[in-house]
């Protein structure tokens, strides 16, 4: 199964610092998964950026429950309660340019394994920066999950 979700950044070019949240609206991003309760799934990912000129290094942090995160461009500081629902993370540091965008895929030898719980229809993602990054205004970041049960 392939599931995707697009984030539209705010209309500014404020630079991000390492550890900042990339979010359009300050919520954890729900991403639909089609899995049975209690059965594990393997999650691999790719990211598409509408900015062909610059390359962010991003980490997708996955959680089993939703929570409110800091605003876009603020430091990500999860609470102990948030971390109890932490499922794993996938880093994206290598990008390939196309005419109008860039695409990143993670190392396919490093997927994460998730066992869906009560929120079986979704996993929740927080996107954080691994490097300093100056975005384009209203840049779109699309998260694509490849899910195998």
């Amino acid at each position: 199964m392939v599931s995707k979700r697009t984030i539209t950044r705010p209309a500014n070019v404020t630079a991000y610092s390492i550890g900042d949240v990339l979010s359009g609206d300050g919520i954890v991003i729900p991403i639909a998964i089609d899995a049975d309760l209690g059965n594990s799934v393997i999650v691999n990912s790719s990211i598409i950026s509408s900015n062909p000129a610059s390359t962010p290094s991003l980490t997708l942090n996955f959680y089993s429950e939703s929570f409110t995160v800091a605003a876009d461009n603020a430091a990500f500081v999860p609470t102990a309660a948030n971390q109890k629902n932490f499922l794993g993370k996938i880093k994206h540091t290598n990008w390939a340019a196309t005419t109008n965008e860039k695409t990143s895929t993670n190392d396919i030898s490093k997927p994460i394994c998730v066992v869906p719980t009560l929120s079986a229809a979704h996993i929740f993602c927080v996107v954080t920066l691994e490097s300093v990054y100056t975005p384009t205004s209203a840049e779109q970041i699309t998260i694509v999950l490849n899910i195998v049960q």
Side-chain angles (χ1 to χ4, degrees), residues 18-66:
I18 296 170
D20 282 357
V21 172
L22 190 152
S23 171
D25 52 16
I27 63 167
V28 177
I29 304 157
I31 302 175
I33 61 172
D34 185 14
D36 298 324
L37 286 175
N39 291 336
S40 62
V41 296
I42 303 297
V43 179
N44 225 319
S45 60
S46 59
I47 299 175
I48 302 166
S49 170
S50 64
N51 180 358
S54 189
T55 305
S57 291
L58 303 172
T59 295
L60 304 179
N61 302 277
F62 295 102
Y63 292 84
S64 59
E65 299 293 329
S66 182

Side-chain angles (χ1 to χ4, degrees), residues 15-129:
Y16 289 90
S17 297
I18 296 170
D20 282 357
V21 172
L22 190 152
S23 171
D25 52 16
I27 63 167
V28 177
I29 304 157
I31 302 175
I33 61 172
D34 185 14
D36 298 324
L37 286 175
N39 291 336
S40 62
V41 296
I42 303 297
V43 179
N44 225 319
S45 60
S46 59
I47 299 175
I48 302 166
S49 170
S50 64
N51 180 358
S54 189
T55 305
S57 291
L58 303 172
T59 295
L60 304 179
N61 302 277
F62 295 102
Y63 292 84
S64 59
E65 299 293 329
S66 182
F67 57 93
T68 302
V69 295
D72 180 71
N73 217 327
F76 180 51
V77 185
T79 66
N82 300 145
Q83 286 303 97
K84 283 198 270 185
N85 297 314
F86 181 71
L87 299 171
K89 64 184 176 181
I90 300 176
K91 292 186 177 189
H92 288 264
T93 57
N94 297 314
W95 293 80
T98 60
T99 304
N100 297 315
E101 62 191 20
K102 283 194 175 180
T103 302
S104 172
T105 56
N106 67 293
D107 181 345
I108 60 170
S109 67
K110 298 178 182 177
I112 62 170
C113 182
V114 175
V115 179
T117 57
L118 189 58
S119 299
H122 293 86
I123 56 176
F124 300 89
C125 182
V126 178
V127 181
T128 56
L129 275 288

